[in-house]
Amino acid sequence: MTQILIIIATLIFLFLGANFFIDGAVALAKRLGMSSLLVGVIIIGFGTSAPEIIVSIFAAVDGSSGIALGNAYGSNIVNIGIILGLAALISPILVHRTTLFIEMPILLGISALSFFFMANGTLTRMEAGILLLIFLLYMSYTLLQSKKSQTHMHEEKPAHLLPSWRTVLYLIGGLITLVISAKYFVSAASLLAKDLGVSDLVIGLTIVSLGTSLPELASTVMASIKRQHDMALGNIIGSNIFNTLVVVGVAGMISPIYRIDREIIYRDIPVMIAFSIFLLLFSISRKKEHRINRLEGTIFLLGYLLYLLLLFKKV
């Protein structure tokens, strides 16, 4: 009972810390003259994935590879199965051609690469470094495209910004809150796994991944309510790319994983790839207007429930 209360409390602080960190980062970026598009691509994209990477760093340091990998891949499954499913139920999501023909294939490609790297049951520092290098190349491409799209656009000066002291307070306070809450979150999750007699992988794929996906859930659902389709879908795909490349890459660089659970290789990564494939297929199923309708959203939600049944089948 104590571990559950700690998990709930730390999840709340993870969510609050991420929100403060994002607000401070956006204010700082605006002060540095970054465009709103670049702020969305870099700052918001990183901020909503901050819980995942902080939690996985502590899990890697503690030697809990199941939590580290389960957190990354479980969050990707949650992002499409639950968050995108809910967003599509709220409002059908239009899919931009760039997202359909560039970001989605990239996501599928790096997912397949993850499977290739881990098929032998290990993740070396070199392989982790390759994942991080691919992320740097992807970000370079994204920044280049963002600058091109801004060439003929007039970027309005923001009406008002957070005071400097509040910007610094939000940045530092949000980061400290993330670090401290993540440390206690990982410890409580590991102890809970032992108490329940399940592996830390199952805890990482469920409780940890659901908890660290709260920022994505909040931002994506709000974007869907406001019918900001590019932001809703872009947030999900960007987060999945970040999780696959950076969260896994950083965890592998800190502590190479020489014994990966077979379930990750033959169950969780294939499920993650399957969700990504269906996302692409649903998007191209309509020639005139690419979109994810409520029916597809329902299928994603049902698919996640089936995944949970598969996950706990042997527990």
Side-chain angles (χ1 to χ4, degrees):
M1 185 64 180
T2 301
Q3 305 307 329
I4 294 177
L5 292 176
I6 293 175
I7 287 175
I8 294 174
T10 51
L11 279 176
I12 294 173
F13 280 105
L14 277 170
F15 183 71
L16 293 175
N19 276 338
F20 280 118
F21 179 77
I22 291 172
D23 289 343
V26 169
L28 177 62
K30 287 294 186 181
R31 287 185 177 278
L32 295 176
M34 292 176 63
S35 69
S36 59
L37 184 57
L38 289 181
V39 170
V41 169
I42 300 175
I43 303 301
I44 301 300
F46 172 78
T48 54
S49 294
E52 280 95 335
I53 191 168
I54 298 296
V55 166
S56 288
I57 286 174
F58 277 104
V61 171
D62 291 343
S64 302
S65 61
I67 288 181
L69 295 180
N71 176 33
Y73 297 132
S75 292
N76 286 358
I77 295 171
V78 168
N79 283 345
I80 297 178
I82 292 184
I83 299 177
L84 190 61
L86 286 175
L89 282 180
I90 294 171
S91 174
I93 300 174
L94 296 176
V95 182
H96 195 275
R97 287 182 61 86
T98 302
T99 302
L100 180 61
F101 295 110
I102 297 179
E103 275 80 12
M104 286 188 187
I106 288 176
L107 177 59
L108 280 171
I110 62 174
S111 298
L113 182 63
S114 293
F115 179 82
F116 175 75
F117 279 165
M118 298 185 188
N120 62 353
T122 65
L123 179 66
T124 65
R125 276 200 174 94
M126 179 179 290
E127 292 167 339
I130 292 174
L131 293 178
L132 293 175
L133 177 60
I134 293 174
F135 177 74
L136 291 177
L137 294 174
Y138 170 74
M139 284 307 302
S140 298
Y141 165 79
T142 302
L143 289 173
L144 181 62
Q145 293 301 115
S146 298
K147 288 179 180 179
K148 285 183 179 179
S149 67
Q150 288 291 325
T151 302
H152 303 291
M153 294 175 63
H154 175 68
E155 187 72 22
E156 296 184 359
K157 187 176 181 179
H160 60 84
L161 293 171
L162 286 175
S164 298
W165 66 270
R166 187 175 292 179
T167 299
V168 175
L169 179 63
Y170 280 11
L171 272 173
I172 297 177
L175 185 59
I176 291 175
T177 302
L178 278 170
V179 170
I180 294 177
S181 54
K183 180 176 178 60
Y184 284 99
F185 181 81
V186 170
S187 298
S190 297
L191 291 174
L192 180 62
K194 293 178 182 179
D195 292 342
L196 295 177
V198 299
S199 67
D200 58 357
L201 172 60
V202 173
I203 294 296
L205 288 165
T206 54
I207 296 175
V208 177
S209 64
L210 284 167
T212 56
S213 294
L214 287 177
E216 284 92 342
L217 175 62
S219 59
T220 302
V221 168
M222 286 306 299
S224 182
I225 291 174
K226 296 178 181 179
R227 297 183 182 277
Q228 297 176 339
H229 301 115
D230 285 346
M231 184 178 293
L233 185 58
N235 182 43
I236 291 299
I237 294 178
S239 177
N240 281 18
I241 291 175
F242 188 92
N243 290 340
T244 305
L245 296 176
V246 179
V247 175
V248 175
V250 170
M253 288 293 289
I254 292 174
S255 178
I257 304 170
Y258 297 112
R259 189 176 180 182
I260 298 175
D261 290 323
R262 291 177 59 84
E263 287 83 358
I264 293 179
I265 303 170
Y266 298 108
R267 180 191 61 201
D268 305 314
I269 294 181
V271 168
M272 178 185 72
I273 293 176
F275 268 97
S276 300
I277 291 174
F278 277 108
L279 176 59
L280 177 62
L281 293 177
F282 288 157
S283 299
I284 64 176
S285 60
R286 297 172 181 82
K287 295 182 179 180
K288 292 184 178 180
E289 188 177 51
H290 304 297
R291 62 181 179 180
I292 306 296
N293 282 336
R294 290 185 174 89
L295 174 61
E296 286 87 354
T298 302
I299 292 174
F300 280 137
L301 288 170
L302 292 176
Y304 185 79
L305 291 178
L306 289 175
Y307 170 66
L308 285 182
L309 291 176
L310 177 66
L311 195 63
F312 287 98
K313 185 178 179 180
K314 296 181 179 180
V315 176

